[in-house]
Amino acid sequence: MTRLTYSDEPRDIWIVAETQDGALTPLTKELVYGARMAADMMGFYVKVVLLGSGVSDLANELYPVGADRVYVADDDRLTEFALEPELKVLSDLFAVQAPEFVLFGATPIGEALAPRLAQRFGAGLIVNALMLKVDDFDRCFIGRRAAYGGEYYEVMTTAGARSHFATVLPDTFGAPYPDTSRYGEVETVEVNLDDVAAQIKTIGPVEFALPQPKLKAAKQIVSVGRQVGDIDAAKALAETLGAELAGARESLDENYIGESQVVGITGERVSPNLYIALGIRGDTMHTWGMKGARYVVAVHPDPDAPILKQADAAMVGDPAKVAQELAEALSKN
Amino acid sequence: MKVLVCVKQVLDPSGITVNRKAEKVFINREEFILDPASKAALETANDLKQTGAEVVAISVGPERVEDGLREALARGADRAIWVRSDGGDALVIAHLIAAVVRKLGEVDLIIAGHQSLDTGAGELPPRLAEALDWPQILGAAQIDVGANGVTAIVQQAGFVQVEASTPVVVAMLAGAYRGSYANGWRLMDAYKKWNVEAWSTADLDLGEDDLRPLTTKKEDAFPPERQLGTPVRDVKELVVMLKRERVIAQNVKRET
């Protein structure tokens, strides 16, 4: 474990930026904005590390959302994410700068980087934070993370550590409120990757299916009934959400779904985080199967449909239209 | 080839009730089960035994983890090591397991669960890889060991095949568990014949700093009570509600 040496100066809040297809991810901007709010309270600067190739221009997009200084490591060897080169660049930088607070996105990249850097530098780490603040008294992160898939939260603190890391889920700080009059500065990071190579070689995509039944393990389910109107809109919504398509038994008769996709007494019993019931009337035969769901959204044209009484969000309206609008609204932000 | 499997116990979720109104987690039946991701890891290691691998199961924790290790023995582990410890965060556990690996020697492969049922943090495998300075494969659905090292099928946007040379840390997805059972005879032997080796932290050459947890749980917090039948007027309001409840997955396809 490498110990970082600190001065008594304020040591700033850092963000490890992520890019996708040559653009900053929305989560990165949100993190910078969240860091800005904390920094204003603590008297910190917001510093962003930007790794990749041809990313120098992206720094200009970070100032309006709150960055004061952007450290750019622009190198051809950082084009695609590979763990070892990124770890090397980041830890070389951290060893010099000794950051006190660092934010990562709760993405596959943050998931791979943050624990390794936390272990390397002996930092406290809150993983998958869905609420996070800088505690000004203990000078640490306090954050919530979901327990048992969000049944309740655990409040974690990094009070014992000298440096504090967190990976943060989207929508924790909210949409950034950009200030176009802000400006900042860029610093180029020296990249020294001569004796480092990626140790994991990607061979290529393969066809594979997990052995577990899809519906039982699904985290999101879009479920359809006879009143759905347009099955394609429901399918499009499921695809946008990354959800599984399911249905009540009656939608099997309509040929909307297959036998294995039936939810209810005569089918599967599911426990997703989100269950969207489109045009399902909601008799007991069906609702028995969806009792384990953590959050139920129901859309039905009939205001007297029993499903509306059993949903956390009950909406009277045309299911196909709602599905379409919802898919649009979700893909936009 | 020596394979180390990290085993974790979690509280059986069917034995707990979360009361949002009282802001309490009621434990009706305190029973610990093997985490599904750990079962997937054990199952994978058991498959590797056919190629002549020796499987060592390890668990860090109080007395109760011994039970989990006996189940690991029943599920095919040749040896079980219990590191006695009263709590600690992933940092400490990674230090402990890494010290055991160094003491055992010649471990070529560590298999752990990717995300556990309770916290789903997935912190330990990368931390362990760091403590040993090994590469890591996270979110594996299947692995094969050949002469050149390990090939794995990893879940990303789709499934991708990757390759690494040993030694390596692999984190298995809970969804990769095929649902195999422990052999009945092995289960009997696990309790009657075989022993779980108890190691204490003093045996493992670790400093005080390595055993000091840095991330701690302060308290539990609870989401607001469910209000069934809450009317929603339009999609805009619905999106706000969904975001507040955090039920939308991260992998929503967003136009940038």
Side-chain angles (χ1 to χ4, degrees), chain B:
Chain B
M1 178 163 174
K2 208 182 261 180
V3 181
L4 190 77
V5 184
C6 303
V7 176
K8 177 174 181 173
Q9 277 186 318
V10 292
L11 258 182
D12 186 352
S14 64
I16 62 172
T17 318
V18 177
N19 189 329
R20 293 182 182 184
K21 195 174 177 190
E23 305 217 320
K24 248 186 185 161
V25 181
F26 291 99
I27 300 171
N28 312 324
R29 175 170 52 83
E30 191 179 37
E31 193 180 336
F32 285 88
I33 55 170
L34 276 191
D35 182 60
S38 294
K39 284 185 191 167
L42 278 168
E43 197 178 57
T44 309
N46 197 27
D47 291 346
L48 295 177
K49 274 178 83 171
Q50 281 163 0
T51 62
E54 185 200 354
V55 178
V56 184
I58 185 170
S59 196
V60 179
E63 252 107 61
R64 62 172 166 81
V65 304
E66 204 190 319
D67 243 9
L69 283 169
R70 292 207 191 265
E71 189 177 340
L73 285 171
R75 283 174 181 271
D78 299 302
R79 220 177 131 181
I81 297 172
W82 162 37
V83 181
R84 196 189 293 254
S85 155
D86 303 322
D89 61 353
L91 176 103
V92 174
I93 295 173
H95 276 309
L96 288 171
I97 297 180
V100 170
V101 169
R102 279 191 286 265
K103 199 152 189 185
L104 281 175
E106 291 166 5
V107 176
D108 304 297
L109 177 62
I110 297 179
I111 310 179
H114 179 47
Q115 283 173 332
S116 63
L117 195 63
D118 51 356
T119 62
E123 238 182 294
L124 185 71
R127 276 181 179 273
L128 192 51
E130 177 63 39
L132 293 160
D133 200 14
W134 291 7
Q136 67 195 33
I137 298 174
L138 305 183
Q142 193 184 54
I143 62 171
D144 281 309
V145 177
N148 305 332
V150 177
T151 47
I153 293 175
V154 175
Q155 190 175 34
Q156 291 172 356
F159 287 96
V160 176
Q161 197 168 24
V162 299
E163 198 177 58
S165 57
T166 50
V168 62
V169 175
V170 180
M172 296 296 294
L173 290 168
Y177 179 50
R178 295 190 304 270
S180 56
Y181 293 101
N183 177 315
W185 292 111
R186 286 195 71 97
L187 196 59
M188 296 278 274
D189 288 348
Y191 280 90
K192 287 187 172 164
K193 259 194 194 162
W194 301 327
N195 275 324
V196 170
E197 299 167 36
W199 292 32
S200 99
T201 48
D203 306 340
L204 307 162
D205 195 22
L206 285 171
E208 209 174 283
D209 266 359
D210 299 334
L211 297 173
R212 194 166 59 90
L214 295 177
T215 314
T216 42
K217 186 173 120 173
K218 215 174 143 206
E219 59 195 8
D220 288 332
F222 295 83
E225 229 183 324
R226 281 177 85 169
Q227 302 281 339
L228 293 184
T230 309
V232 185
R233 272 161 303 163
D234 54 10
V235 171
K236 216 170 156 190
E237 204 181 322
L238 182 62
V239 172
V240 172
M241 288 172 82
L242 290 178
K243 282 199 167 166
R244 198 177 51 210
E245 286 293 322
R246 302 182 160 279
V247 283
I248 305 171
Q250 298 165 48
N251 54 5
V252 171
K253 285 179 192 151
R254 288 178 170 171
E255 298 162 8
T256 37

Side-chain angles (χ1 to χ4, degrees), chain A residues 223-225 227 247-248 250 275 277-282 286 299-300 305 307:
Chain A
S223 194
V224 296
Q227 299 290 336
E250 75 231 24
Y275 188 87
L278 298 170
I280 297 174
R281 201 166 161 77
H286 176 70
V299 188
H300 201 277
I307 188 110

Side-chain angles (χ1 to χ4, degrees), chain A residues 29-318:
Chain A
K29 288 187 186 169
E30 190 190 328
L31 293 185
V32 175
Y33 175 64
R36 178 78 259 153
M37 291 192 286
D40 286 345
M41 187 183 80
M42 300 290 291
F44 286 171
Y45 288 115
V46 175
K47 299 181 173 176
V48 183
V49 196
L50 190 54
L51 307 175
S53 82
V55 291
S56 308
D57 295 339
L58 295 176
N60 294 322
E61 291 176 39
L62 288 165
Y63 308 135
V65 287
D68 292 306
R69 179 177 277 201
V70 182
Y71 291 80
V72 179
D74 204 329
D75 195 290
D76 288 343
R77 287 165 292 189
L78 298 170
T79 315
E80 290 281 310
F81 174 78
L83 183 69
E84 285 77 11
E86 291 221 0
L87 266 181
K88 174 79 165 61
V89 175
L90 284 173
S91 67
D92 283 354
L93 183 66
F94 283 6
V96 176
Q97 301 285 342
E100 190 179 7
F101 293 96
V102 187
L103 295 177
F104 298 81
T107 59
I109 292 176
E111 202 173 66
L113 281 175
R116 285 201 79 134
L117 287 166
Q119 188 79 12
R120 190 169 292 184
F121 294 118
L125 172 66
I126 300 176
V127 178
N128 294 340
L130 33 73
M131 212 183 89
L132 189 78
K133 60 178 186 189
V134 176
D135 188 282
D136 54 352
F137 184 75
D138 285 335
R139 221 177 150 108
C140 65
F141 274 143
I142 292 185
R144 281 184 184 181
R145 70 174 185 204
Y148 289 99
E151 284 290 314
Y152 63 100
Y153 310 123
E154 286 181 342
V155 182
M156 306 298 292
T157 153
T158 59
R162 290 295 310 265
S163 38
H164 314 271
F165 293 4
T167 70
V168 182
L169 288 164
D171 301 327
T172 295
F173 301 119
Y177 184 73
D179 173 1
T180 43
S181 65
R182 282 187 51 84
Y183 55 90
E185 53 195 15
V186 138
E187 192 164 313
T188 311
V189 178
E190 225 171 280
V191 178
N192 182 9
L193 288 175
D194 292 338
D195 48 351
V196 181
Q199 306 232 20
I200 307 292
K201 209 165 74 191
T202 306
I203 298 170
V206 282
E207 279 297 312
F208 188 80
L210 289 171
Q212 295 225 329
K214 267 189 175 169
L215 220 47
K216 262 209 139 59
K219 289 272 175 264
Q220 279 95 15
I221 291 178
V222 173
S223 194
V224 296
R226 189 170 281 146
Q227 299 290 336
V228 65
D230 178 11
I231 182 69
D232 293 327
K235 278 182 184 161
L237 175 63
E239 207 198 326
T240 318
L241 280 168
E244 293 293 328
L245 188 74
R249 176 138 300 259
E250 75 231 24
S251 55
L252 180 66
D253 307 334
E254 304 277 341
N255 272 328
Y256 289 158
I257 54 166
E259 178 71 50
S260 64
Q261 290 168 299
V262 176
V263 170
I265 288 182
T266 54
E268 205 66 65
R269 192 173 189 181
V270 297
S271 50
N273 283 338
L274 173 64
Y275 188 87
I276 302 182
L278 298 170
I280 297 174
R281 201 166 161 77
D283 50 35
T284 325
M285 300 289 264
H286 176 70
T287 50
W288 180 87
M290 56 164 242
K291 256 188 196 147
R294 198 157 72 71
Y295 196 80
V296 178
V297 176
V299 188
H300 201 277
D302 178 6
D304 293 329
I307 188 110
L308 296 177
K309 293 240 162 34
Q310 303 194 38
D312 297 83
M315 200 164 169
V316 180
D318 175 18

